[in-house]
Amino acid sequence: MAERGIVILGSGSLTRSICYSLAAVCAAECVVTVVSTTPSSSAEVCYVADVRAASSGTPVRFRALSVDRYAAGSISSILREARPRIVLNCASYQSPWEKTRSPSAWTALMNRAGFGLTLPLQAAVAIEAASAIAALDPPPLFLNACFPDAVNPLLKTLELPIFCGVGNVALLAASLRESLRPARGERLQVLGHHWHLHTPDDAADEVLAWLDGTPVREVGPLLRRQRAAARSELNAVTGHVTALLLADLVTGREVRTSLPGPLGLPGGYPVRIYGRSLALDLPADMPPARAVALNSAWAERDGVSVEENGEVRFSAWASLAIRSELPGFPSTVHARDIPELCSRLLDLRGRLRRTQAASADHH
């Protein structure tokens, strides 16, 4: 059973959605270990998921473990004991919901600088997890849910293992599937980036999709319902789609879908997975080099790009925005310096949150 196990790092909204769907759809005997820095949170997730599994009659089981922090050593100990087939990282130092639930001077800065500014905060746990996985033989498949369009290329430049991401283009593909309702056997292929969760200013920059090799026209209107929905609600879709993927991967079934950051590539692509192998599954009229170039260009719109030589480059406007609060912030850093940059951003975030709180108390 251990070889079919799954370890999930994090116990937030996405983990909950994944586990609650997995409990209902996973027909394989499987133990899902939820690892959290908040014991009560992971215990709660596993209780609800176990009840759902028992109610659904599925053989999947859930167990909660806690760590003081998501360090490579702690993660390594858990992985050696659990011997999972899959590790999924859903833990980061930046919640996507903060700007709506707890607006502050920090979230205002994120709005000005773009989501790419948070790359170091999104990547820190993924780096620790990948480092732990790299020491295992054989290593489990590593999936990353935290800004995989940029974090996965970062892991690749650090020569750390990364299989693929979840969410983002997978969410776009799921939404298009709902709009198009392809017939059984028809193949939907989607090329897109995290940036496409929002409507592009120029329709020429829209998501690309193909149905049985034929380009889908007017993709934007087909995504209108998704883009109008609250981002917190979209986790119910991302979690369910991810659960379906995990249920297939844990048994080694062939999968044809669209995923972000496959094998450390920037952005999202249609892929074919069989066992432990993954390959791009692009339509005939989209060469791989062109697909990567498009996603690299879209990455610029998010405010950050990761080069093959390991350079992480923040856009000019993102760098300008952050320097208003953190003079001397580098526009280009090497991937190996991301953990140190994460510490600096955490310090800045704490200061800006306190500034906002003090201002509110004053008024």
Side-chain angles (χ1 to χ4, degrees):
M1 187 179 294
E3 287 78 9
R4 285 189 169 182
I6 300 170
V7 168
I8 301 179
L9 304 178
S11 58
S13 171
L14 182 57
T15 295
R16 289 167 187 265
S17 179
I18 292 168
C19 289
Y20 299 166
S21 283
L22 199 56
V25 304
C26 186
E29 288 193 15
C30 174
V31 174
V32 179
T33 302
V34 178
V35 182
S36 171
T37 55
T38 309
S40 60
S41 181
S42 51
E44 183 178 73
V45 173
C46 291
Y47 157 70
V48 174
D50 272 329
V51 170
R52 288 175 64 92
S55 301
S56 301
T58 58
V60 62
R61 298 293 180 265
F62 297 81
R63 66 168 184 160
L65 291 179
S66 62
V67 291
D68 291 333
R69 54 187 293 266
Y70 296 112
S74 301
I75 296 170
S76 179
S77 296
I78 289 170
L79 298 185
R80 291 182 187 280
E81 182 271 329
R83 294 175 56 236
R85 179 182 179 87
I86 299 164
V87 177
L88 170 61
N89 176 49
C90 294
S92 78
Y93 291 114
Q94 180 58 51
S95 167
W97 325 126
E98 182 176 355
K99 65 180 181 180
T100 54
R101 295 179 179 173
S102 303
S104 66
W106 166 253
T107 59
L109 175 60
M110 281 198 299
N111 286 338
R112 296 195 305 274
F115 189 77
L117 169 66
T118 71
L119 173 63
L121 304 177
Q122 302 289 342
V125 175
I127 291 172
E128 296 289 332
S131 298
I133 289 168
L136 300 179
D137 185 23
L141 302 179
F142 183 37
L143 284 64
N144 172 47
C146 301
F147 198 13
D149 301 63
V151 171
N152 290 14
L154 180 77
L155 296 175
K156 182 181 179 182
T157 66
L158 291 171
E159 299 184 341
L160 291 172
I162 183 63
F163 190 67
C164 65
V166 301
N168 298 347
V169 76
L171 170 61
L172 295 165
S175 300
L176 288 172
R177 182 170 295 279
E178 184 279 326
S179 294
L180 295 167
R181 299 285 175 152
R184 182 179 295 274
E186 285 188 315
R187 187 150 50 110
L188 176 65
Q189 297 160 292
V190 182
L191 187 75
H193 193 275
H194 166 267
W195 174 71
H196 284 118
L197 294 180
H198 303 283
T199 306
D201 293 332
D202 187 344
D205 290 327
E206 190 55 272
V207 171
L208 298 178
W210 297 260
L211 191 58
D212 266 4
T214 301
V216 176
R217 305 298 179 188
E218 300 294 324
V219 171
L222 300 178
L223 293 171
R224 189 172 293 139
R225 293 178 70 194
Q226 176 201 306
R227 287 166 172 167
R231 291 293 296 276
S232 55
E233 287 298 304
L234 294 177
N235 262 3
V237 179
T238 297
H240 187 67
V241 172
T242 302
L244 293 171
L245 172 68
L246 293 175
D248 285 336
L249 292 182
V250 83
T251 57
R253 283 195 293 267
E254 181 181 13
V255 180
R256 288 180 183 266
T257 188
S258 296
L259 294 172
L263 305 177
L265 292 173
Y269 309 78
V271 298
R272 175 181 179 269
I273 301 172
Y274 188 77
R276 298 179 63 88
S277 67
L278 181 152
L280 296 187
D281 188 30
L282 293 161
D285 63 350
M286 178 56 64
R290 172 65 176 158
V292 172
L294 282 169
N295 267 303
S296 296
W298 291 329
E300 298 280 352
R301 312 298 179 89
D302 249 345
V304 67
S305 60
V306 181
E307 309 297 332
E308 290 185 3
N309 64 2
E311 284 191 348
V312 179
R313 184 162 48 83
F314 296 94
S315 68
W317 46 271
S319 298
L320 184 63
I322 185 66
R323 283 174 189 153
S324 67
E325 299 291 349
L326 200 62
F329 183 89
S331 58
T332 302
V333 298
H334 194 275
R336 61 177 171 267
D337 298 323
I338 286 295
E340 189 273 334
L341 197 57
C342 176
S343 297
R344 293 177 63 186
L345 287 176
L346 286 173
D347 288 343
L348 174 64
R349 184 178 71 181
R351 175 168 63 82
L352 293 179
R353 283 174 174 174
R354 288 191 298 272
T355 299
Q356 188 77 13
S359 176
D361 289 344
H362 178 74
H363 289 292

